[in-house]
Amino acid sequence: MKFENILEEIDGFGPYQIFIIVLLCAPRIVLPCHYLLNNFIAALPPHRCDISTLDDGGLFRNWTQQQRLTVSLPLGEDGGFRSCEMFAEPQFQLLVNGSKDFEATTVPCQSGWVYDNSTFTSTLATEWDLVCDRKSLSQTTSSIFFFGVMFGSIASGFLSDRYGRRNTLLASYIMAAVFGFSSAFANSYVVFAVLRFFTGFGLTGIGINSIVLSIEWVDTDHRSFIGVIGSLSWSVGNMLLAAFAYLVNDWRNLTMTVTAPLGLAILTWWWIPESARWLLAHGKVEKAKFYLDKCAKFNKRGDLSDKIKLETLSSIEDEENKDKNYTYLDLIKTPKMRKLTLLTGIVWYGVASTYYGISLNIGGLGLNIYLTHFIYAAIEVPAKLMVYCCLNIVGRRKCQAGTLLLTGLCIAINIFLPQDLWHLRIVVAILGKGLSEAAFTTLFLYTTELYPTVVRQNGLGYTSFISRLGVTVAPLILMLEDFWTPLPQIIICSVASVSGLVALLLPETLKERLPETIQDVEQKTMLVN
């Protein structure tokens, strides 16, 4: 007897499974709010040098503000005042002769900056003057956050496979909530950066454990439904972030707002069950029977004891795996696991780098940043529904490869489209964003089905770690436009296309039972030759 047979007896897709999905929705809404929070809290509003100290001598007492700015600040190429420079000495002749072909000695801003607060009341840039030569520090917080996510994925994967999905999930809830709220009260840039690192460290455990708990409690026929429809909470959170950011213009209040749902998540954790698959794989038969009994009663299938005996459950666990502690080394000890680990790592890097390369460039459409972010988030909903239909028709492998290759095609089209066709460029960009999200949605479900139960969390921890490398590199790739404008898009297009081709080398898992042990992977033709 296999675990799938037990799920058939107790209903592998009943009210109990829906209840689990609902409980995991609130914390998953928090994830995109934090992952893309930097788009708003690190925004760089228009700014100029502060010239208020020039009034000390009373020279400008009767002058208008425009006259003061004219003699104090040089003009940029766009006709506006430069953001980081001022004249070494007031240039009074500009009031008479104008500024055409005028050159004078300039110096960096001497008394700080004045910011345009019409869009944002406060951001990291305005809080700690992260502008001009310190401009990169504002975006560095995003990389620091994802470094935390990256290392957290490794720790979460190990702890989940060692101590269980449920316990690790609670630790992730508490850690993300504590450090998330604390970062809103940081009194220096360094303190904020450290707290964001640990916030990311905690959040990654929520993402990994919530998807695995969902998938491991459903039968084979409904895994794609749970994986795709359950992930809609990410899209909801993404759209809510645009609304939260629009309504809450202060970065401290916005950080607290997007962290608040974790308080509800901690309260609902008590009703979340441990994965019965994990319990059986680790020899905890009586505890597994406890949760399976609850599932049977909740789904109105009667008492499990009347159908399946304790001895039957004991026979499901592999004696060779009982009490064995698996590590990340088990991902590369055997030939097919080694190949699987390599290929999934490449695909995860490509999907993450592509998705965040598009998502972090919300100024690329030339629209209001709130509207752009909302459109990018909203397109994810039909993308998820589309991929749900395709997953059960053409399979996981073709969906994974197809969405990545089509994303690369959309990026390639926009590279060659002229700027004056901006309406068409917007349509293509939104389509590419939707396809990149479809690739991400497919990948979470696909990877969960590829790795065996005994190392499933280690496998997701490893692939999540690799993906965060892609996320960390994405902002750096976007900065390359200063050297050559199309270069970032060429790189992202290439990464999407290559990872799509690599996905074709993975096995199909449609309607296949989840592998329980490493032996299940090695004894089956899991990889395309």
Side-chain angles (χ1 to χ4, degrees):
M1 176 177 282
K2 295 294 183 180
F3 190 83
E4 276 72 15
N5 302 125
I6 298 177
L7 285 179
E8 290 177 5
E9 293 290 339
I10 62 176
D11 191 353
F13 186 66
Y16 193 72
Q17 284 75 13
I18 300 300
F19 180 64
I20 294 173
I21 294 297
V22 172
L23 291 179
L24 295 173
C25 279
R28 294 188 71 180
I29 286 175
V30 172
L31 296 180
C33 290
H34 272 278
Y35 280 35
L36 297 173
L37 183 61
N38 232 55
N39 279 342
F40 301 102
I41 66 170
L44 186 62
H47 54 282
R48 59 169 175 80
C49 296
D50 185 1
I51 61 171
S52 59
T53 57
L54 298 179
D55 289 338
D56 290 347
L59 185 62
F60 297 156
R61 182 179 304 165
N62 297 320
W63 288 20
T64 64
Q65 179 69 5
Q66 184 61 38
Q67 289 175 323
R68 298 175 186 176
L69 294 174
T70 299
V71 302
S72 304
L73 304 177
L75 296 178
E77 295 180 357
D78 60 353
F81 295 112
R82 295 183 191 176
S83 301
C84 302
E85 295 178 325
M86 60 186 298
F87 291 126
E89 298 290 340
Q91 304 298 313
F92 301 108
Q93 66 273 24
L94 291 177
L95 295 175
V96 179
N97 301 328
S99 58
K100 186 177 181 179
D101 298 328
F102 177 82
E103 292 186 5
T105 303
T106 60
V107 295
C109 298
Q110 302 296 297
S111 303
W113 292 264
V114 173
Y115 300 95
D116 180 358
N117 294 325
S118 59
T119 303
F120 301 99
T121 304
S122 174
T123 69
L124 300 180
T126 62
E127 181 85 12
W128 293 303
D129 287 335
L130 305 182
V131 295
C132 300
D133 58 341
R134 304 182 70 206
K135 178 181 178 180
S136 60
L137 291 178
S138 187
Q139 294 301 322
T140 300
T141 55
S142 181
S143 295
I144 293 172
F145 171 81
F146 283 114
F147 268 120
V149 173
M150 187 167 60
F151 287 105
S153 63
I154 293 293
S156 176
F158 171 78
L159 293 173
S160 296
D161 277 336
R162 182 72 179 274
Y163 300 107
R165 283 65 160 133
R166 187 170 181 265
N167 291 334
T168 306
L169 184 62
L170 177 61
S172 299
Y173 282 169
I174 295 174
M175 187 175 187
V178 170
F179 287 105
F181 277 111
S182 298
S183 61
F185 298 94
N187 57 5
S188 71
Y189 173 81
V190 174
V191 172
F192 175 79
V194 171
L195 291 173
R196 284 296 286 170
F197 174 89
F198 286 108
T199 302
F201 193 98
L203 284 170
T204 189
I206 298 175
I208 293 176
N209 283 281
S210 61
I211 186 66
V212 170
L213 270 172
S214 302
I215 296 299
E216 290 186 341
W217 266 108
V218 300
D219 57 26
T220 302
D221 293 336
H222 294 93
R223 288 203 304 260
S224 57
F225 178 85
I226 293 295
V228 175
I229 302 302
S231 70
L232 284 174
S233 55
W234 172 282
S235 301
V236 172
N238 212 354
M239 288 186 283
L240 285 176
L241 175 59
F244 291 151
Y246 179 78
L247 297 172
V248 184
N249 302 132
D250 178 81
W251 74 267
R252 294 182 186 272
N253 292 332
L254 179 58
T255 302
M256 288 189 286
T257 300
V258 300
T259 307
L262 288 177
L264 176 63
I266 294 174
L267 294 177
T268 60
W269 172 86
W270 302 101
W271 291 282
I272 296 176
E274 179 57 273
S275 167
R277 289 180 186 271
W278 178 86
L279 290 169
L280 288 176
H282 287 75
K284 303 178 185 295
V285 181
E286 292 186 1
K287 196 67 177 289
K289 185 178 182 301
F290 169 77
Y291 285 114
L292 290 169
D293 277 332
K294 289 183 63 176
C295 179
K297 292 175 182 177
F298 206 95
N299 289 343
K300 299 181 180 180
R301 289 298 183 95
D303 193 345
L304 182 66
S305 300
D306 298 335
K307 303 176 182 179
I308 301 173
K309 303 300 181 183
L310 195 63
E311 294 77 12
T312 305
L313 291 177
S314 299
S315 67
I316 294 178
E317 61 162 318
D318 191 325
E319 290 297 328
E320 293 180 4
N321 295 299
K322 185 177 181 180
D323 297 327
K324 179 178 178 181
N325 295 321
Y326 289 87
T327 68
Y328 287 102
L329 291 178
D330 290 289
L331 299 178
I332 58 174
K333 282 184 178 180
T334 55
K336 289 183 179 179
M337 282 298 299
R338 205 160 34 239
K339 189 174 182 181
L340 177 64
T341 301
L342 174 63
L343 296 180
T344 53
I346 294 174
V347 176
W348 271 83
Y349 179 91
V351 171
S353 182
T354 302
Y355 177 84
Y356 284 96
I358 298 173
S359 299
L360 294 174
N361 188 29
I362 61 173
L365 293 183
L367 302 175
N368 176 283
I369 63 171
Y370 302 113
L371 179 59
T372 301
H373 187 95
F374 183 82
I375 292 174
Y376 272 178
I379 193 61
E380 294 180 0
V381 176
K384 289 177 187 289
L385 298 178
M386 174 202 71
V387 82
Y388 168 63
C389 298
C390 294
L391 281 171
N392 289 326
I393 297 175
V394 302
R396 278 64 158 148
R397 182 165 61 94
K398 291 180 180 178
C399 273
Q400 190 67 76
T403 51
L404 278 168
L405 291 173
L406 289 173
T407 300
L409 178 62
C410 288
I411 298 172
I413 291 174
N414 261 356
I415 292 175
F416 294 102
L417 278 178
Q419 295 290 335
D420 55 348
L421 296 177
W422 63 273
H423 288 93
L424 183 58
R425 288 176 60 85
I426 289 175
V427 172
V428 174
I430 293 174
L431 180 60
K433 175 59 170 60
L435 288 166
S436 70
E437 170 56 28
F440 229 139
T441 301
T442 303
L443 191 57
F444 268 107
L445 171 65
Y446 197 12
T447 306
T448 302
E449 295 179 339
L450 286 170
Y451 282 98
T453 300
V454 292
V455 291
R456 184 166 292 125
Q457 285 293 66
N458 279 330
L460 280 175
Y462 151 74
T463 52
S464 182
F465 177 87
I466 296 298
S467 75
R468 300 316 161 193
L469 286 177
V471 177
T472 304
V473 170
L476 304 178
I477 293 176
L478 295 178
M479 293 173 64
L480 293 176
E481 66 179 0
D482 293 337
F483 298 96
W484 185 34
T485 303
L487 185 56
Q489 303 307 313
I490 292 175
I491 294 175
I492 295 174
C493 174
S494 301
V495 170
S497 301
V498 170
S499 57
L501 294 174
V502 171
L504 291 173
L505 301 177
L506 289 167
E508 182 54 68
T509 60
L510 178 62
K511 297 187 182 301
E512 295 285 339
R513 71 176 182 84
L514 291 180
E516 304 293 344
T517 67
I518 292 177
Q519 287 74 22
D520 288 343
V521 175
E522 295 300 319
Q523 292 171 3
K524 190 174 181 180
T525 306
M526 289 290 292
L527 297 177
V528 177
N529 295 321

